[in-house]
Amino acid sequence: MAERDEGHQPWSRWGSYLSDRQWGTVREDYSADGNAWSSFPHEHARMRCYRWGEDGLLGISDEKGLLCFGLALWNGRDPILKERPFGLANGEGNHGEDLKDYFFHQLNTPTHSFMRGLYKYPQQEFPYQHLVEENGRRGRDQPEYELVETGIFDDNRYFDVFVDYAKASPEDLLIRIRVVNRGSDEAELSLIPTLWLRNLWDWGYKEDWRQRSPICRDGDGIKTPDVHGIGSYQLACRQQGTWLFTENATNTERLYQQPNQQPYVKDAFHRYVVNGEQEAVNPAQEGTKAGLLLQQRIAGGEEWVVDLRLARQLPADPFDDSFEQLLQQREQECLDYFDSCAPGLSADDALIFRSAASGLLWCKKFYRWTVVRWLSGDPNHPSPPPERLKSENAYWRRMHADDVISMPDSWEYPYFCQWDLMFHAVAFACIDPGMAKQQSMLLRSPWYTAPNAQTPAYEWALSDPNPPIGAWAALRIFQIERNEKGFGDLPFLRSAMRKLILEYGWWANRNDRSGDSVFEGGFLGLDNIGVFDRRYPLPDGSRIEQCDGTAWMATLSLNLLQMSVSLAREEPEYTDIAERFLYDFVQLATTLNTEAVIDSKAKVLRSYKNWDEEDGFYYDVIKRPDGSWEYLRSRSIAGLVPLLAVASFSVDTVEKLPVLNVKEDLKWLSSERVQPTWLTKHFGLWHNDRTLFAAVPEENLRRICEYLFDEEEFLSPHGIRSLSKYYEKNPYSFCEGEASATLAYSPADSPVAMFGGNSNWRGPVWMPFNYLLIEALQKFGHYYGDSLKVEFPTRSGNWITLWDASLELEKRLVGLFRRNEAGQRPFNGAVELFQSDPHWKDLLLFNEYFHGDNGSGVGASHQTGWTAMVIKLLTQLQRYSTP
């Protein structure tokens, strides 16, 4: 890692950067209606050349996605060659897009010096059509129909296909494929390790590096051309097989009934192996896609091992004794490294840690998208439809993505999501601080940021505003590394601060439309949390004034304040910046908690507050065109977001930075801006030699905690629910003019189509918000200590500090993955195969969210981005657990 970070060796040149899905993405959508799923469906994937990337099964590529390696499999029964995982398109699944294959990211190092993946390949015909039809019959009130339910894994009639990658050097990769027949009967398998070039030559550009240059035979193996400076590579295999060659080019004859420009096309290996078309492959033994056909009959319980080596220059004997030694060495280095990141964990916790960390690393994928070229089209292809120029994404024409980015999920969300990425970056800080810093600031570089300083959200809607947690991520990365090394990376913090100040200006000018410091509207990352879709005004013109919108801004101000305080210790010129964010925070905290704001002309700007004294909770407010307003009284985590705006500073820090001692400034603020009583009551106070800045005052905090730790409200056996369980028996309905809707507790999949219905914030447990909440409780606990205790659970008679309550929440969240008293892992749900079978029970997936009552995994299954935050919980529990 040091050699990589200091530029001595390009250890990141190769990695698990090959996407699991490229079809059905916005980048590949050239339709008039913007329906990416139907524009490029799974049926096209094996026959149609991609424009912006590639995909494959447990594959790798160089960091620019130019040269790709992956697996292809055929069990003798499937209708198609298995070259990529299968799943349902958004319109096919009863809860949106839905991966159906089972694969697992078992090991991976920060430099990808060792990687291991596992794919479960059935020996019976894969039920593609049956999965589509059965899910199509199910409604939103039913669970998704999964592959395991078809019975295809009964009697262990499947292959475990392991693939290991180990680097002898940055450009010398050892590859081992192990296929284990888990069944009792002999079964046949065709295996095609495949190497191919991303198509750069068919789009009509004249640069030399874009022109076609083929892969050719080289002794017993093959050799690639030098594509765009990555060098020429050789691929050899220890086993003997049949080399197949074709072009990474679209089969226009099959897809569009137009003659192919040449006879060898992308689906040639499928046609050769599955259909027996001998003429599909190039007899001249050259092409831009090459694979080695290996076939074996594997006895029940037996293992078939295939070794390959991909290198700039192969050694004279690529498979001598050092091959085996190096594979073992790199694997042990991987295990040792994770042990050093989290020493002293139990065997089960160590498995959770390395599985989460490895999944996070496997989900680093190459992502290319030049929006201006996507809008205008390519010389050799028809111009995109004019409707594209009217889309929101057209504003982002200067965005140019050409990077390895941490994806939320490598199949369901194979693209960046801004607020997901900030959680990924903090998780990276525990295992790879260099990558954490790079990922946290990537979307704030000139290549991505819009002229108005907005950062892109995600490829489906680049302009959507995500929760502003970039400053939190940068601050936490700085703090985590400082705690580990004993000193912080101040140049990183300074650089981040400059970018984030620009972004802060966009937020302040974009979302406070009424000028009363209330930040409303827009996608704020909680999807369907409200009774109405909070992105839009209601039909009668009423707007939803979000308590969490203002609270997110208060949190952003406070995080920027903490960053500027850290910098001002060394560079006093940051003091005035700290003062600015301090005043902004005080203003926003006051907005959440007070009412009757009047301007200089005696005009009432705001006659309400988000805190409801009667219920003791923060609510959204519906503000009507006539100025009247009403609470939307649904207790959700939107009303808990104000808790996140909290920080405390020591006496020593305040003495070095007097601006934090706000007692004198409060006199000016209270006379010029806001209500004096509230300010002087809640700011400038000291406890345990610390001063506290919090959007939630102590009396409100106590009342919220009664809900928060109530098992009939927010507290589940597995963390904090996103909506109170109270609404399970008492659904909340609201009618405003012609608009009426009902919100009920739904602990698993979404029952409504809002935001596509593939995520649900109406009851499940979400790891990222739980993590933020735990941090907030610890900050409160650090300030209040034993002077503030809460009943945990509510009505239990067990009174503990907020710090101890945070640890109890951590235990519940980690318990999603730990084996419980019955030997089961809650995230696996009720599937006995997953819970008990020796070949499944220790394979961990990190879902997007979790059932609010039983903890079973829901949503995207490989969300080892923000759900990988569990690694931070594990290490903290290890430090503070009672012997």
Side-chain angles (χ1 to χ4, degrees):
M1 290 168 64
E3 289 179 345
R4 176 202 67 183
D5 294 343
E6 295 167 9
H8 299 311
Q9 291 288 340
W11 283 104
S12 289
R13 177 154 298 167
W14 284 85
S16 45
Y17 309 143
L18 183 65
S19 181
D20 295 318
R21 177 173 67 83
Q22 183 73 11
W23 60 273
T25 59
V26 173
R27 287 157 284 157
E28 302 295 343
D29 176 18
Y30 282 77
S31 67
D33 61 2
N35 188 333
W37 293 102
S38 61
S39 172
F40 203 134
H42 176 263
E43 179 63 20
H44 285 199
R46 70 178 183 273
M47 295 177 282
R48 182 171 157 191
C49 181
Y50 296 123
R51 171 64 180 87
W52 295 104
E54 290 291 338
D55 62 15
L57 186 61
L58 294 177
I60 59 174
S61 78
D62 67 278
E63 60 192 340
K64 292 301 180 183
L66 299 167
L67 182 59
C68 308
F69 175 90
L71 307 184
L73 305 166
W74 190 55
N75 58 15
R77 294 179 171 86
D78 282 354
I80 63 174
L81 188 68
K82 174 62 69 173
E83 295 179 272
R84 58 190 54 81
F86 171 73
L88 304 184
N90 189 40
E92 295 173 330
N94 58 328
H95 296 288
E97 61 264 30
D98 184 15
L99 174 65
K100 292 306 178 189
D101 285 287
Y102 294 106
F103 60 91
F104 301 88
H105 300 141
Q106 293 190 290
L107 289 173
N108 207 331
T109 68
T111 56
H112 310 293
S113 58
F114 186 81
M115 300 172 271
R116 173 172 293 159
L118 166 63
Y119 176 69
K120 300 275 189 178
Y121 187 41
Q123 294 171 4
Q124 303 300 310
E125 180 179 338
F126 197 96
Y128 292 100
Q129 191 59 34
H130 175 61
L131 288 167
V132 174
E133 291 173 353
E134 179 57 30
N135 278 277
R137 281 192 287 267
R138 296 193 176 194
R140 294 193 183 277
D141 60 336
Q142 295 176 283
E144 295 163 347
Y145 183 63
E146 305 296 357
L147 180 61
V148 68
E149 297 177 65
T150 67
I152 201 166
F153 294 106
D154 290 355
D155 301 320
N156 292 329
R157 294 193 300 269
Y158 68 92
F159 299 107
D160 266 345
V161 182
F162 298 89
V163 57
D164 291 355
Y165 300 96
K167 293 183 181 179
S169 71
E171 297 172 321
D172 184 356
L173 290 88
L174 285 60
I175 306 169
R176 169 162 289 175
I177 303 165
R178 293 186 298 118
V179 182
V180 183
N181 181 355
R182 295 298 183 196
S184 57
D185 298 330
E186 185 180 70
E188 181 182 4
L189 181 69
S190 296
L191 167 66
I192 311 176
T194 306
L195 189 67
W196 71 98
L197 303 172
R198 175 159 61 90
N199 190 319
L200 304 172
W201 52 87
D202 274 344
W203 316 108
Y205 299 98
K206 303 303 182 183
E207 297 96 334
D208 289 343
W209 62 269
R210 291 181 181 273
Q211 305 313 305
R212 176 190 175 274
S213 187
I215 302 170
C216 303
R217 287 297 302 271
D218 180 46
D220 292 335
I222 57 176
K223 187 174 184 178
T224 75
D226 180 358
V227 180
H228 202 20
I230 68 168
S232 174
Y233 280 80
Q234 297 171 284
L235 176 67
C237 182
R238 188 195 299 265
Q239 287 72 27
Q240 296 296 310
T242 301
W243 284 103
L244 308 176
F245 291 82
T246 188
E247 298 297 325
N248 184 14
T250 298
N251 187 337
T252 56
E253 182 177 308
R254 173 72 185 274
L255 286 175
Y256 310 118
Q257 293 74 55
Q258 296 177 4
N260 290 318
Q261 294 184 356
Q262 47 79 38
Y264 309 112
V265 289
K266 184 176 178 180
D267 63 335
F269 297 170
H270 159 80
R271 292 161 53 205
Y272 181 91
V273 174
V274 178
N275 298 342
E277 299 179 32
Q278 301 292 310
E279 70 281 5
V281 298
N282 189 348
Q285 297 275 280
E286 64 134 50
T288 52
K289 180 179 178 181
L292 181 64
L293 175 59
L294 302 160
Q295 295 175 307
Q296 186 83 0
R297 296 195 65 83
I298 310 171
E302 294 297 313
E303 179 178 273
W304 177 31
V305 178
V306 174
D307 291 335
L308 301 105
R309 192 159 186 166
L310 176 67
R312 285 286 301 275
Q313 181 63 53
L314 287 173
D317 185 355
F319 306 104
D320 61 12
D321 292 344
S322 67
F323 185 94
E324 186 72 33
Q325 294 167 2
L326 191 63
L327 276 170
Q328 295 178 13
Q329 178 186 338
R330 291 289 186 255
E331 179 178 1
Q332 190 60 50
E333 289 169 351
C334 176
L335 298 172
D336 290 345
Y337 180 68
F338 287 138
D339 285 344
S340 74
C341 292
L345 295 180
S346 68
D348 200 35
D349 282 359
L351 171 65
I352 298 168
F353 184 97
R354 64 176 175 263
S355 297
S358 297
L360 181 67
L361 291 159
W362 266 96
C363 287
K364 286 165 54 181
K365 302 297 180 183
F366 171 71
Y367 184 94
R368 181 171 173 82
W369 191 21
T370 301
V371 175
V372 67
R373 190 159 287 171
W374 177 77
L375 289 168
S376 58
D378 299 305
N380 275 4
H381 286 70
S383 297
E387 291 87 349
R388 171 164 295 180
L389 297 175
K390 299 177 182 178
S391 66
E392 283 190 13
N393 282 355
Y395 172 74
W396 294 85
R397 62 177 59 247
R398 88 175 194 185
M399 196 188 95
H400 173 73
D402 189 40
D403 298 281
V404 171
I405 309 180
S406 176
M407 305 295 169
D409 180 282
S410 58
W411 190 90
E412 299 206 31
Y413 306 112
Y415 43 80
F416 68 84
C417 291
Q418 184 189 149
W419 91 300
D420 302 59
L421 184 55
M422 297 307 99
F423 290 105
H424 306 183
V426 175
F428 271 118
C430 301
I431 57 171
D432 189 353
M435 179 56 60
K437 297 170 197 175
Q438 189 267 346
Q439 291 290 299
S440 70
M441 288 296 113
L442 178 63
L443 301 185
R444 292 169 176 83
S445 70
W447 300 108
Y448 292 86
T449 308
N452 64 359
Q454 184 184 9
T455 49
Y458 60 117
E459 72 171 28
W460 288 89
L462 294 169
S463 294
D464 272 0
N466 280 182
I469 62 170
W472 166 80
L475 178 65
R476 291 300 288 123
I477 292 165
F478 171 80
Q479 292 170 335
I480 290 168
E481 186 177 33
R482 181 184 61 190
N483 293 341
E484 179 69 23
K485 294 184 176 180
F487 58 90
D489 186 348
L490 289 173
F492 161 72
L493 201 63
R494 283 194 295 270
S495 175
M497 186 78 176
R498 289 192 289 269
K499 295 179 175 70
L500 290 162
I501 286 175
L502 291 173
E503 184 179 330
Y504 182 83
W506 176 84
W507 270 97
N509 289 302
R510 158 67 171 79
N511 275 347
D512 183 15
R513 290 181 292 212
S514 58
D516 59 0
S517 296
V518 176
F519 292 80
E520 73 286 326
F523 169 65
L524 284 173
L526 305 184
D527 291 19
N528 61 3
I529 194 76
V531 63
F532 298 116
D533 190 335
R534 301 190 300 169
R535 291 173 294 179
Y536 309 115
L538 272 61
D540 67 354
S542 297
R543 291 187 177 274
I544 297 172
E545 308 287 7
Q546 298 176 204
C547 60
D548 58 319
T550 303
W552 283 121
M553 279 301 294
T555 305
L556 173 59
S557 299
L558 203 50
N559 287 325
L560 287 167
L561 169 64
Q562 291 174 279
M563 290 176 68
S564 56
V565 167
S566 295
L567 292 168
R569 291 191 181 104
E570 302 290 334
E571 301 170 76
E573 57 267 30
Y574 282 94
T575 301
D576 59 342
I577 299 176
E579 191 171 29
R580 161 62 193 266
F581 291 122
L582 175 62
Y583 289 160
D584 283 3
F585 167 73
V586 170
Q587 179 70 32
L588 290 160
T590 307
T591 298
L592 277 170
N593 293 284
T594 63
E595 56 192 12
V597 175
I598 300 173
D599 67 10
S600 59
K601 298 180 180 179
K603 178 183 177 182
V604 176
L605 296 178
R606 177 169 47 81
S607 58
Y608 61 89
K609 59 182 177 180
N610 291 102
W611 173 257
D612 179 20
E613 193 65 43
E614 179 182 346
D615 283 6
F617 204 77
Y618 291 97
Y619 290 128
D620 287 350
V621 169
I622 189 162
K623 190 169 79 172
R624 303 183 179 96
D626 63 5
S628 63
W629 61 274
E630 190 172 348
Y631 285 122
L632 291 170
R633 285 189 166 91
S634 59
R635 289 187 294 279
S636 72
I637 58 172
L640 301 179
V641 172
L643 293 172
L644 309 183
V646 56
S648 68
F649 298 94
S650 67
V651 170
D652 178 65
T653 300
V654 175
E655 287 178 348
K656 292 179 180 178
L657 200 66
V659 68
L660 296 173
N661 193 344
V662 297
K663 288 183 179 179
E664 292 301 316
D665 290 330
L666 283 176
K667 296 178 182 178
W668 170 73
L669 280 169
S670 62
S671 63
E672 296 293 331
R673 292 194 174 187
V674 295
Q675 299 179 10
T677 304
W678 192 87
L679 271 178
T680 55
K681 183 178 179 182
H682 298 296
F683 289 103
L685 306 179
W686 290 85
H687 186 79
N688 289 336
D689 291 328
R690 301 188 72 82
T691 187
L692 182 72
F693 294 96
V696 179
E698 181 179 349
E699 60 268 28
N700 294 10
L701 174 63
R702 291 179 182 274
R703 295 187 68 183
I704 290 174
C705 283
E706 293 178 13
Y707 293 116
L708 185 63
F709 302 131
D710 189 336
E711 291 176 316
E712 296 303 315
E713 295 263 359
F714 286 104
L715 183 62
S716 88
H718 308 286
I720 297 299
R721 302 178 175 104
S722 48
L723 183 72
S724 171
K725 190 176 173 65
Y726 172 82
Y727 302 108
E728 183 175 42
K729 297 179 180 178
N730 306 278
Y732 177 74
S733 297
F734 194 91
C735 182
E736 179 65 27
E738 298 179 358
S740 62
T742 297
L743 179 148
Y745 174 72
S746 304
D749 292 305
S750 177
V752 297
M754 195 185 300
F755 285 91
N758 60 337
S759 69
N760 183 32
W761 292 82
R762 297 186 173 190
V765 170
W766 291 75
M767 183 69 74
F769 187 84
N770 271 261
Y771 183 84
L772 292 175
L773 189 60
I774 286 168
E775 282 196 342
L777 292 172
Q778 291 180 348
K779 293 174 186 177
F780 280 117
H782 191 45
Y783 175 77
Y784 287 112
D786 291 339
S787 69
L788 197 163
K789 292 191 174 183
V790 293
E791 204 174 10
F792 190 100
T794 302
R795 297 183 300 278
S796 68
N798 178 43
W799 292 86
I800 60 177
T801 66
L802 288 173
W803 176 269
D804 289 336
S806 76
L807 297 181
E808 290 298 320
L809 288 181
E810 289 186 344
K811 292 174 186 175
R812 293 183 182 222
L813 289 161
V814 172
L816 287 163
F817 307 103
R818 284 173 169 166
R819 290 191 188 182
N820 58 24
E821 297 82 0
Q824 299 190 329
R825 304 185 191 275
F827 86 89
N828 266 329
V831 181
E832 186 60 31
L833 178 70
F834 299 166
Q835 296 286 14
S836 303
D837 188 277
H839 304 301
W840 291 82
K841 65 181 182 179
D842 290 329
L843 299 174
L844 306 185
L845 292 176
F846 297 86
N847 292 80
E848 187 177 4
Y849 51 100
F850 302 87
H851 193 289
D853 295 332
N854 62 39
S856 57
V858 194
S861 56
H862 290 76
Q863 193 92 5
T864 28
W866 62 24
T867 304
M869 297 298 295
V870 70
I871 67 179
K872 192 75 174 65
L873 304 181
L874 282 165
T875 55
Q876 188 171 73
L877 281 175
Q878 171 67 14
R879 286 198 305 272
Y880 293 103
S881 59
T882 303

